[in-house]
């Protein structure tokens, strides 16, 4: 199952690139010039990300070096491992609800510790790609139009996130 | 939110390090953390430049407009309350496409615009409408075709096949979105009925 998914994954990027550039040529666009313009936007977006990443990676590294992260995860993990959820993954799930970039810091830490192709690496790779920051998104979006009663939004978001965690565990095998 | 979370991480780490006698490691950790952030951004820069460059071509050759056309029935299904031709439809589809293609910084402005359009349809100011709840839940359940950032991270940390995550991630995100939409449908139906 996983082998087939990986096989399919290998095809998507090249085909997409082929399709986009092909369509660009067919509609007679100066594709390379446009590419350069777009790439500049991506580079400046990444440059804006660097200060955030520096702050968060320093924070996560401090937390890990002090032994706090391992001890807290081991504590939570004694329960969650019954459901197939390894202890080191637990902090990622909770932090992701509040901040995507902070969760990214934790994930990179796991990649360094276990490798991105390990079971834990796979699990968080999938998990990070299938859920969004609940509290951040809700507060920014609702605040912008002065909504105070969000009704069932939070319950629905938590339900979707829970489903995402379950699927990530299943797919990572 | 992030201010407290970040401060909490660092203060808790230093406090715990002092208690367990790992202060030297804590300093070492902070330094190696920022070093890693810089090398990660270098990898990211390449991947992002490639991706946004391609997206620019897709935008200017009309592919994005075509995608918006394909989305129309989906938006009609998800948000039956929005009258046909209302600007909210367009704003929501711009936000969804940006999310779908992993253009996070383009998704938020479009999303906020969509909220403003939805607010014009709100007859109970201060309380979220069904359409708003659905829109937020769909956003949080993250519909993403290519997890661009994740591919970059995986390649930075020596994955044998960084792009292998695409299809499993897509399956997972499809499941979360279907669950979210189903939940929103049931919750909305109960209120209306």
């Amino acid at each position: 199952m996983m082998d087939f998914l990986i096989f399919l994954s290998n095809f998507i990027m090249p085909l997409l690139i082929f399709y986009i550039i092909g369509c660009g040529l067919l509609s007679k666009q100066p594709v390379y010039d446009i590419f350069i313009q777009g790439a500049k936007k991506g580079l400046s977006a990444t440059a804006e990300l660097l200060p955030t990443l520096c702050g968060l990676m320093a924070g996560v590294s401090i937390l890990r070096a002090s032994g706090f992260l391992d001890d807290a995860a081991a504590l939570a993990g004694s329960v969650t491992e019954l459901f197939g959820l390894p202890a080191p993954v637990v902090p990622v799930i909770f932090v992701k609800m509040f901040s995507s970039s902070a969760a990214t810091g934790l994930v990179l830490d796991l990649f360094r510790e276990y490798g991105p192709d390990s079971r834990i690496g796979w699990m968080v790779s999938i998990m990070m790609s299938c859920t969004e920051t609940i509290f951040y998104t809700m507060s920014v979006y609702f605040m912008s139009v002065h909504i105070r009663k969000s009704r069932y939004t939070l319950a629905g978001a938590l339900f979707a996130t829970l489903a995402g965690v379950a699927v990530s565990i299943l797919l990572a095998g | 939110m992030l201010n407290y979370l970040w401060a909490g991480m660092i203060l808790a780490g230093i406090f715990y390090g002092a208690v367990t006698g790992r202060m030297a490691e804590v300093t070492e950790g902070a330094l190696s953390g920022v070093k890693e952030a810089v090398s990660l951004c270098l990898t990211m820069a390449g991947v992002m430049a490639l991706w946004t460059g391609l997206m620019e071509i897709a935008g200017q050759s009309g592919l994005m407009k075509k995608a918006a056309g394909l989305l129309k029935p989906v938006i009609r299904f998800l948000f039956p309350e929005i009258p046909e031709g209302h600007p909210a439809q367009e704003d929501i589809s711009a936000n969804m496409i940006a999310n779908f293609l992993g253009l996070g910084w383009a998704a938020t402005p479009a999303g906020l615009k969509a909220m403003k359009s939805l607010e014009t349809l709100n007859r109970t100011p201060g309380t979220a409408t069904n359409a708003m709840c659905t829109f937020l839940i769909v956003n949080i359940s993250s519909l993403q075709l290519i997890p661009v950032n994740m591919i970059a991270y995986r390649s930075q940390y020596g994955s044998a096949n960084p792009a292998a995550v695409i299809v499993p991630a897509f399956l997972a995100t499809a499941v979360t979105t279907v669950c979210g939409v189903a939940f929103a449908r049931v919750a909305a139906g109960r209120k209306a009925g």
Side-chain angles (χ1 to χ4, degrees), chain B:
Chain B
M1 189 68 85
L2 196 49
N3 285 317
Y4 290 112
L5 201 63
W6 185 70
M9 268 189 331
I10 292 188
L11 296 185
I14 292 175
F15 181 76
Y16 203 79
V19 173
T20 54
R22 292 195 187 140
M23 288 310 247
E25 287 90 334
V26 165
T27 311
E28 172 57 29
L31 295 178
S32 69
V34 287
K35 212 190 291 169
E36 221 168 297
V38 173
S39 66
L40 176 66
C41 263
L42 285 180
T43 312
M44 282 273 290
V47 178
M48 283 309 264
L50 174 65
W51 185 246
T52 50
L54 286 170
M55 284 306 123
E56 194 78 17
I57 299 176
Q60 299 210 9
S61 53
L63 276 181
M64 295 289 204
K65 274 213 186 79
K66 231 189 266 173
L70 289 177
L71 259 184
K72 241 188 159 170
V74 178
I75 287 174
R76 231 175 279 147
F77 168 78
L78 285 176
F79 308 99
E81 308 90 339
I82 303 176
E84 191 58 45
H86 191 275
Q89 283 183 330
E90 218 172 282
D91 296 336
I92 290 175
S93 98
N95 165 270
M96 282 186 169
I97 290 172
N99 272 324
F100 202 68
L101 298 174
L103 304 168
W105 69 91
T108 307
L112 294 179
K113 213 164 147 242
M115 286 303 277
K116 291 240 151 63
S117 314
L118 287 175
E119 179 66 8
T120 63
L121 294 168
N122 192 355
R123 272 168 296 185
T124 52
T127 302
T129 60
N130 284 343
M132 285 179 182
C133 294
T134 308
F135 181 57
L136 261 286
I137 293 172
V138 169
N139 251 288
I140 289 167
S141 72
S142 156
L143 253 187
Q144 204 179 21
L145 178 67
I146 311 270
V148 189
N149 292 335
M150 190 44 78
I151 295 173
Y153 301 148
R154 288 171 54 79
S155 105
Q156 167 74 15
Y157 285 86
S159 167
N161 191 347
V165 72
I166 296 176
V167 174
F170 183 74
L171 280 183
T173 206
V175 169
T176 57
T177 304
V178 168
C179 287
V181 168
F183 186 98
R185 265 299 147 93
V186 171
R190 214 176 38 204
K191 288 276 182 239

Side-chain angles (χ1 to χ4, degrees), chain A residues 22-87:
Chain A
C23 284
L25 280 180
L26 283 180
S27 60
K28 300 200 171 54
Q29 300 285 337
V31 281
Y32 188 60
D33 297 332
I34 299 175
F35 177 86
I36 305 289
Q37 284 170 27
K40 271 187 200 152
K41 287 187 200 167
L43 283 179
S44 54
T46 316
E48 274 166 38
L49 199 68
L50 182 56
T52 318
L53 266 178
C54 280
L56 288 164
M57 301 276 288
V60 172
S61 301
I62 288 175
L63 212 51
R64 144 120 12 231
S66 73
F68 181 85
L69 215 52
D70 290 331
D71 294 352
L75 205 64
S78 52
V79 181
T80 59
E81 258 159 34
L82 297 175
F83 304 100
L85 187 63

Side-chain angles (χ1 to χ4, degrees), chain A residues 141-168:
Chain A
Y141 278 42
F142 279 143
M143 288 257 273
S144 73
V145 288
H146 312 292
I147 298 283
R148 279 177 309 275
K149 292 201 184 102
S150 61
R151 293 171 61 209
Y152 54 85
T153 310
L154 180 60
L158 286 171
F159 179 67
T161 302
L162 192 70
V165 171
V167 174
S168 305

Side-chain angles (χ1 to χ4, degrees), chain A:
Chain A
M1 169 77 169
M2 204 60 181
D3 285 343
F4 176 70
L5 296 185
I6 291 172
F7 172 78
L8 215 59
S9 299
N10 287 339
F11 269 75
I12 289 180
M13 273 304 269
L15 284 182
L16 195 67
I17 295 174
F18 187 91
Y19 179 69
I20 290 173
I21 294 179
C23 284
L25 280 180
L26 283 180
S27 60
K28 300 200 171 54
Q29 300 285 337
V31 281
Y32 188 60
D33 297 332
I34 299 175
F35 177 86
I36 305 289
Q37 284 170 27
K40 271 187 200 152
K41 287 187 200 167
L43 283 179
S44 54
T46 316
E48 274 166 38
L49 199 68
L50 182 56
T52 318
L53 266 178
C54 280
L56 288 164
M57 301 276 288
V60 172
S61 301
I62 288 175
L63 212 51
R64 144 120 12 231
S66 73
F68 181 85
L69 215 52
D70 290 331
D71 294 352
L75 205 64
S78 52
V79 181
T80 59
E81 258 159 34
L82 297 175
F83 304 100
L85 187 63
V89 180
V90 177
V92 177
I93 300 172
F94 286 100
V95 171
K96 173 89 199 219
M97 291 183 191
F98 298 93
S99 159
S100 183
S101 39
T104 302
L106 290 172
V107 164
L108 299 177
D109 199 51
L110 292 178
F111 279 179
R112 189 184 34 205
E113 192 86 0
Y114 301 93
D117 296 330
S118 65
R119 178 162 173 265
I120 288 177
W122 267 111
M123 207 176 277
V124 291
S125 297
I126 301 171
M127 212 174 271
M128 287 292 283
S129 312
C130 74
T131 52
E132 264 310 320
T133 323
I134 298 181
F135 297 99
Y136 171 81
T137 310
M138 277 184 64
S139 57
V140 171
Y141 278 42
F142 279 143
M143 288 257 273
S144 73
V145 288
H146 312 292
I147 298 283
R148 279 177 309 275
K149 292 201 184 102
S150 61
R151 293 171 61 209
Y152 54 85
T153 310
L154 180 60
L158 286 171
F159 179 67
T161 302
L162 192 70
V165 171
V167 174
S168 305
I169 295 172
L170 282 178
L171 284 175

